[in-house]
Amino acid sequence: MRPPRLNPLFASAIGLKGIGPKLDKVLARLLRPGAATANAEARILDLLFHLPSGLIDRRERPKLDALPEKGIVTVEVTVGKHKPPPPHLKRLPYRVECFDDTGSLTLVFFHAFADHLQRVLPPGETRFISGSVDWFQGSPQIAHPDHIVSADEFARLPLIEPVYPLTAGLSPKILGRAVRAALEKIPSLPEWQDEAWIKRKGWGDFAASLRKLHQPQTHGDLDMLTPERLRLAYDELLANQLALSLVRKHMKRKAGRSFAGTGEIRARLVTALPYSLTASQSSAIAEILRDMAAPERMLRLLQGDVGSGKTVVALLALAAAVESGAQGAFMAPTEILARQHFATLTPLCEKAGLRLSILTGREKGRVRSDLLAALAAGEIDILIGTHALFQDDVAFHDLGLVVIDEQHRFGVHQRLALQAKAQDADLLVMTATPIPRTLALTVYGDMDVSKLTEKPAGRQPVDTRVMPSERMDEVIDGLRRLLEAGGRAYWICPLVEESELVDLAAAEDRARALATAFPGRTGLVHGRMKGAEKDAAMASFKAGDITLLVSTTVVEVGVDVPEATVMIVENAERFGLAQLHQLRGRVGRGAGKSTCLLLYQGKLGETAKARLTIMRETEDGFRIAEEDLRLRGAGEMLGTRQAGLPVFRVADIVAHADLLAAARDDAGLILARDANLATPRGEALRHLLYLFERDDAVRLISAG
């Protein structure tokens, strides 16, 4: 149960001055974009963690001849002539000329009420104007100033005001007032941090730090490394690490089983492989088999770059479970990928005597019921599938190992749901998105990690080139030569915006244009197609019936066509580094020399330029991941809304990376000394877990 003294923080923001039900919906959209329900309310807590991104400083008051090109200014002026728009042209703005002894300034108002403006801006009077200046035809103007006040009123105006991120329908004044009201609701809280640690760091308590962050006096107070920001960031990171440690402890607490296996099926699989295992594959397999043979449950993450051979490692682990008399489940994020794994593994399983089946949303009726009956009877050794494996009617005879591919597309809850089907099953999670160490700690802190760092033998380096879209004609000519020579290529369409429909329209337009240039050779794959249509297009491409596959990013993960040697990515500047790296990994899989063309549009910004430069310089996924994190931050890198990624409200894992390691150690020490959080500090830490909404972990303490 939530500690009662936290209740005021979880109360609705409705009722704070100026916040009614209508504005609450706007606030909730801004402050709780990932909330589970559409009618979620904004809470006091959300306002407190919505920190300023800038500040307005009214202490500097430039003369009109010294106004900057852009930015918020406060000026003292004499009001001059009012210039309302002509009666028949109401769309034009209402202008008010103002001046001082050095120059003039125009105030601009759209849809204005003339009476109101005459009242607040009487000609000949002195007024203080504060707002954002810009320039029109060489003259300064301020549209809809934030403040228009007399000298008396200016004396009462705050000289320094925090600036908060906003959304449509919310004014800075109302949000600022709501935050100030929320600050008054902070209750007295117990100290959950180690006293010696915060003393050494020179940090204040939670409430004082939060108040100070909402009252910056200089731009330096907004820095990520102020004592107040560090204190709160550490609180949040400790809540994250403590929650993950509790999940891990809970998982490990349930007795596991020893899956030692005989090695017979594995030996047959290794013999059937057309290549020998790399050193890092062998070492990852050894780590996994050691975990599986131990009596505790395995919780292991297998990280490997595109094409590093994770699937084979997973198959050998599944074989060890089957050798021990159990079954295995292999879950993929999309139907395309599940079917591809099925196609890749079927010949190997047949040679090794493993019974392999597949279950996705497409298996229905009699086919599905027969499959489920065979599964429950133990007549299927390994079941590959999508999230369809979670459904209640899917019952295994004896599930021993769960393999989850591309974990960041599944939340921790889904991971637990599949494991709940087998209380003592081992868990192997795989990702082809190399994850920087700091990010791995926040997302997978509950797991041990194995890394595949080599490409399998025979993988070709990919020649990566960056060129402007203006050279599209040359690209089409080169593509024509490739296709006429019997080659195959991918053409990835741009991410237009956060809308599948708009992205789809762009893909369809490009596919039509390319189909005109290359009739009969062009296919299209996108996320809104039915599974069977997608499979048919992919199969045609694999078989060589079509030789140019136009696609949105659905081919990013796992699609394997060794004959494809060219990858063209349109508007590459809009993609993240990890995504570009994943896309490039679709080529260089066969014997032919492969090329990746990154087309960009317009003038490149600094970040986009840095991103494309790194792509040209290296194929090392781990270096690319570190750079991606540095350039874009964690939220954007894995997609903040991906269920597996915690949304940090105060901490920034790039700026606060060193605090993360300390939080991990601290969490380990806390649970070693006080496993049930029952001491006075443990009780205080329960407040921390609720405060940063890691309360799922609290429930695990009492759940056996």
Side-chain angles (χ1 to χ4, degrees):
M1 233 175 75
R2 184 166 64 218
R5 70 172 87 189
L6 290 179
N7 289 343
L9 299 181
F10 285 85
S12 168
I14 295 176
L16 294 179
K17 196 170 178 190
I19 307 293
K22 194 172 169 191
L23 256 182
D24 176 64
K25 283 205 169 15
V26 177
L27 260 184
R29 229 179 21 245
L30 172 69
L31 304 179
R32 301 185 66 189
T37 58
N39 53 1
E41 291 182 326
R43 303 159 305 178
I44 302 294
L45 185 74
D46 303 317
L47 285 162
L48 293 175
F49 285 143
H50 190 62
L51 297 176
S53 55
L55 61 84
I56 298 167
D57 188 345
R58 296 193 181 83
R59 292 171 300 193
E60 291 272 321
R61 292 207 290 282
K63 289 288 195 180
L64 294 183
D65 66 347
L67 289 174
E69 275 197 28
K70 269 217 176 313
I72 290 175
V73 296
T74 302
V75 291
E76 182 181 353
V77 296
T78 302
V79 180
K81 197 173 174 190
H82 282 236
K83 296 181 175 175
H88 60 288
L89 287 171
K90 291 285 186 201
R91 284 199 321 274
L92 294 180
Y94 189 113
R95 299 176 187 275
V96 182
E97 300 297 344
C98 301
F99 57 90
D100 67 6
D101 54 358
T102 68
S104 63
L105 167 74
T106 305
L107 305 182
V108 179
F109 302 90
F110 289 90
H111 312 297
F113 292 103
D115 295 353
H116 170 70
L117 291 179
Q118 289 285 352
R119 209 164 42 249
V120 297
L121 288 163
E125 296 275 334
T126 298
R127 287 291 181 266
F128 287 86
I129 312 287
S130 188
S132 185
V133 69
D134 59 23
W135 294 71
F136 179 68
Q137 295 180 344
S139 301
Q141 59 178 30
I142 294 177
H144 296 274
D146 301 327
H147 298 278
I148 302 169
V149 292
S150 65
D152 292 347
E153 292 166 321
F154 186 68
R156 296 192 296 276
L157 206 62
L159 290 179
I160 294 170
E161 202 176 336
V163 174
Y164 293 94
L166 292 170
T167 188
L170 188 64
S171 77
K173 265 186 197 160
I174 286 173
L175 181 58
R177 196 161 57 213
V179 171
R180 287 193 294 279
L183 286 167
E184 289 169 20
K185 307 257 184 198
I186 301 177
S188 163
L189 294 169
E191 179 55 79
W192 44 75
Q193 295 296 0
D194 177 68
E195 302 246 343
W197 164 252
I198 55 176
K199 200 169 174 185
R200 189 163 82 244
K201 289 287 189 183
W203 293 345
D205 68 20
F206 172 82
S209 300
L210 196 50
R211 285 192 184 97
K212 181 109 192 271
L213 284 175
H214 281 288
Q215 292 155 358
Q217 296 302 299
T218 66
H219 286 283
D221 290 343
L222 301 165
D223 193 86
M224 284 287 179
L225 302 178
T226 62
E228 295 76 26
R229 186 78 183 223
L230 291 171
R231 155 75 212 225
L232 264 71
Y234 189 72
D235 284 340
E236 186 167 27
L237 293 170
L238 180 60
N240 167 260
Q241 290 299 302
L242 197 53
L244 285 169
S245 297
L246 282 164
V247 168
R248 178 183 174 82
K249 195 166 165 296
H250 176 71
M251 299 278 235
K252 291 276 191 186
R253 186 190 297 165
K254 292 180 178 171
R257 288 155 65 190
S258 172
F259 298 114
T262 59
E264 287 173 30
I265 299 176
R266 275 171 284 150
R268 291 201 291 273
L269 283 172
V270 171
T271 308
L273 288 174
Y275 49 80
S276 51
L277 297 171
T278 65
S280 59
Q281 277 176 316
S282 298
S283 110
I285 290 162
E287 288 168 349
I288 291 163
L289 293 177
R290 191 170 61 240
D291 281 4
M292 289 178 71
E296 300 85 23
R297 305 176 76 185
M298 172 172 76
L299 296 172
R300 189 166 280 277
L301 169 69
L302 177 63
Q303 260 189 279
D305 213 337
V306 176
S308 56
K310 294 178 299 303
T311 312
V312 166
V313 172
L315 181 59
L316 289 165
L318 289 161
V322 176
E323 288 168 356
S324 307
Q327 292 167 297
F330 190 148
M331 191 170 84
T334 63
E335 197 171 319
I336 280 190
L337 196 46
R339 293 202 175 275
Q340 186 170 296
H341 281 318
F342 185 64
T344 306
L345 299 182
T346 296
L348 289 171
C349 288
E350 281 171 355
K351 285 176 185 164
L354 283 167
R355 296 167 299 180
L356 182 71
S357 283
I358 184 165
L359 176 65
T360 67
R362 207 192 304 173
E363 278 67 44
K364 290 187 172 69
R366 184 70 188 273
V367 172
R368 180 184 164 87
S369 51
D370 288 354
L371 191 150
L372 293 180
L375 185 70
E379 292 159 14
I380 292 171
D381 295 323
I382 299 167
L383 183 62
I384 292 179
T386 54
H387 55 276
L389 299 186
F390 287 130
Q391 287 161 358
D392 292 341
D393 60 344
V394 179
F396 288 80
H397 176 67
D398 178 17
L399 181 56
L401 173 63
V402 175
V403 177
I404 301 183
D405 196 13
E406 284 306 316
Q407 154 67 21
H408 70 272
R409 304 201 171 195
F410 300 106
V412 174
H413 299 295
Q414 286 172 298
R415 175 164 113 193
L416 296 178
L418 189 56
Q419 272 196 298
K421 289 189 176 293
Q423 292 300 310
D424 48 7
D426 283 347
L427 178 69
L428 177 66
V429 156
M430 310 198 298
T431 176
T433 309
I435 301 171
R437 185 173 171 276
T438 46
L439 201 52
L441 277 181
T442 65
V443 185
Y444 306 110
D446 57 331
M447 314 192 94
D448 299 306
V449 180
S450 296
K451 279 186 180 182
L452 298 181
T453 51
E454 305 153 276
K455 283 191 174 184
R459 279 291 162 96
Q460 305 297 317
V462 178
D463 177 17
T464 304
R465 301 177 190 187
V466 178
M467 58 169 63
S469 294
E470 288 81 45
R471 293 173 62 186
M472 184 70 80
D473 290 349
E474 292 173 47
V475 175
I476 301 284
D477 287 345
L479 194 54
R480 181 171 282 108
R481 288 193 296 276
L482 172 86
L483 298 181
E484 281 169 359
R488 276 177 239 179
Y490 295 99
W491 188 298
I492 304 300
C493 288
L495 289 163
V496 181
E497 54 182 65
E498 287 297 311
S499 153
E500 268 191 35
L501 281 172
V502 182
D503 285 351
L504 172 57
E508 286 174 333
D509 288 349
R510 177 56 69 203
R512 266 194 296 275
L514 289 169
T516 306
F518 308 112
R521 298 187 197 171
T522 308
L524 172 66
V525 175
H526 56 75
R528 296 180 79 88
M529 285 166 84
K530 289 193 168 68
E533 294 175 316
K534 255 188 265 189
D535 284 354
M538 289 304 308
S540 295
F541 185 56
K542 210 172 167 72
D545 301 333
I546 55 171
T547 50
L548 175 60
L549 186 67
V550 181
S551 171
T552 54
T553 55
V554 291
V555 300
E556 170 193 339
V557 175
V559 174
D560 190 13
V561 180
E563 298 80 4
T565 56
V566 171
M567 166 65 68
I568 297 163
V569 183
E570 216 177 323
N571 284 83
E573 75 280 5
R574 293 185 181 174
F575 291 82
L577 256 177
Q579 205 172 23
L580 288 174
H581 179 62
Q582 288 270 353
L583 288 166
R584 175 170 64 185
R586 300 297 110 221
V587 294
R589 292 170 160 255
K593 184 175 175 298
S594 289
T595 305
C596 176
L597 280 185
L598 303 176
L599 302 177
Y600 66 87
Q601 204 157 25
K603 194 173 185 312
L604 283 179
E606 283 309 304
T607 303
K609 194 181 288 179
R611 210 179 282 160
L612 297 183
T613 302
I614 292 153
M615 285 296 295
R616 220 172 39 216
E617 284 174 2
T618 183
E619 286 190 64
D620 177 350
F622 288 96
R623 187 190 152 201
I624 283 171
E626 293 288 351
E627 288 293 332
D628 207 15
L629 182 62
R630 189 178 63 76
L631 289 170
R632 296 200 299 159
E636 229 192 303
M637 184 181 161
L638 283 188
T640 306
R641 300 289 153 243
Q642 297 280 18
L645 181 67
V647 179
F648 289 118
R649 308 181 82 159
V650 183
D652 176 296
I653 65 166
V654 179
H656 303 135
D658 54 337
L659 292 179
L660 183 57
R664 171 133 207 218
D665 294 345
D666 198 3
L669 269 174
I670 288 162
L671 292 181
R673 291 174 185 161
D674 180 16
N676 294 318
L677 299 184
T679 63
R681 187 185 177 196
E683 283 294 335
L685 284 161
R686 288 171 180 246
H687 286 73
L688 174 71
L689 288 167
Y690 275 98
L691 201 54
F692 284 101
E693 301 188 79
R694 301 293 193 271
D695 38 301
D696 281 356
V698 182
R699 289 191 274 283
L700 293 178
I701 298 170
S702 48

